[in-house]
């Protein structure tokens, strides 16, 4: 029987969404809403990549997401996966419409079940999405295929008033 006495969980959240992913979800973003991308990194250009495909005002600032409430727009982002539970809880408690790129397994966690009375909808990608890995020491972005995750992602949406609850994109 294998044991994992030496195993230590590592937390590494410096992965950035690639342009093709932003392009595939852009048509689901309402044109009349300000878009907040609150999960800032000085090395990411996610706001520029998404901005190629939408005309909305995009707010992308170096602020602590947990210290303020968004009242005049929606959140569209790829949050740090290690904090997804706390992020979902804050967005739902603040009643902020959102579109978050998350591992598909998120919808199976026990904590997600308490959101059953929310207006949760899903965008399901046609294939596994790749991410660009960032070296936090140098800021260098690695786009090679070895940075692709071993899991699939979906876009978990709330209060987005999409035509269907499950959308294949």
């Amino acid at each position: 029987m294998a044991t994992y006495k030496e195993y230590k969980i590592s937390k590494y959240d410096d992965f950035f969404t690639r342009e093709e992913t932003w392009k595939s979800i852009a048509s689901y973003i309402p044109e009349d809403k300000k878009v907040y991308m609150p999960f800032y990194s000085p090395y990411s250009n996610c706001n520029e990549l998404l901005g190629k495909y939408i005309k909305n005002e995009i707010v992308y600032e170096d602020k602590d997401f947990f210290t303020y409430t968004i009242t005049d727009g929606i959140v569209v982002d790829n949050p740090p996966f290690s904090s997804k539970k706390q992020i979902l809880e804050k967005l739902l408690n603040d009643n902020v419409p959102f579109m978050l790129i998350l591992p598909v397994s998120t919808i199976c966690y026990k904590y997600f079940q308490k959101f059953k009375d929310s207006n949760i909808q899903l965008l399901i990608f046609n294939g596994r999405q790749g991410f660009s890995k960032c070296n936090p020491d140098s800021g260098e972005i690695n786009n090679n295929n070895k940075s692709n995750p071993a899991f699939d992602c979906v876009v978990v949406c709330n209060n987005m008033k999409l035509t269907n609850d499950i959308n294949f994109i």
Side-chain angles (χ1 to χ4, degrees):
M1 183 166 130
T3 61
Y4 294 97
K5 292 180 182 176
E6 304 293 320
Y7 180 73
K8 292 185 178 145
I9 295 173
S10 65
K11 177 180 154 185
Y12 187 83
D13 284 329
D14 291 322
F15 289 92
F16 302 136
T17 305
R18 294 185 180 165
E19 183 174 347
E20 55 268 19
T21 301
W22 294 123
K23 181 180 181 181
S24 69
I25 68 172
S27 64
Y28 293 91
I29 299 170
E31 295 177 2
D32 62 337
K33 301 288 184 186
K34 185 186 297 187
V35 172
Y36 284 83
M37 300 183 88
F39 308 108
Y40 179 85
S41 169
Y43 307 115
S44 175
N45 65 341
C46 62
N47 58 324
E48 295 170 13
L49 296 176
L50 179 59
K52 291 180 179 182
Y53 303 101
I54 64 173
K55 295 180 180 173
N56 309 53
E57 176 185 351
I58 298 175
V59 179
Y60 187 61
E61 302 172 319
D62 188 5
K63 285 173 76 172
D64 181 357
F65 167 74
F66 294 102
T67 63
Y68 66 99
T69 301
I70 295 167
T71 59
D72 62 340
I74 62 174
V75 170
V76 179
D77 214 337
N78 170 14
F81 293 167
S82 66
S83 302
K84 64 185 178 270
K85 177 183 177 185
Q86 296 83 5
I87 291 166
L88 282 166
E89 287 174 344
K90 178 172 175 20
L91 288 169
L92 287 165
N93 288 336
D94 291 347
N95 199 29
V96 178
F98 64 80
M99 299 174 71
L100 296 178
I101 300 168
L102 295 169
V104 70
S105 60
T106 304
I107 65 175
C108 299
Y109 289 127
K110 190 173 185 176
Y111 70 80
F112 196 83
Q113 300 304 313
K114 66 180 161 184
F115 307 130
K116 66 183 178 203
D117 295 327
S118 300
N119 296 311
I120 297 291
Q121 297 177 305
L122 299 175
L123 302 179
I124 300 175
F125 295 109
N126 181 13
R128 186 165 290 163
Q129 300 304 293
F131 295 91
S132 299
K133 186 174 183 178
C134 177
N135 179 332
D137 297 324
S138 67
E140 181 180 331
I141 307 296
N142 181 351
N143 286 312
N144 72 29
N145 287 336
K146 293 180 181 175
S147 296
N148 289 341
F151 53 86
D152 289 307
C153 289
V154 296
V155 182
V156 176
C157 307
N158 189 55
N159 287 332
M160 293 302 300
K161 299 177 180 149
L162 303 176
T163 305
N164 300 305
D165 287 340
I166 298 176
N167 302 274
F168 295 91
I169 58 174

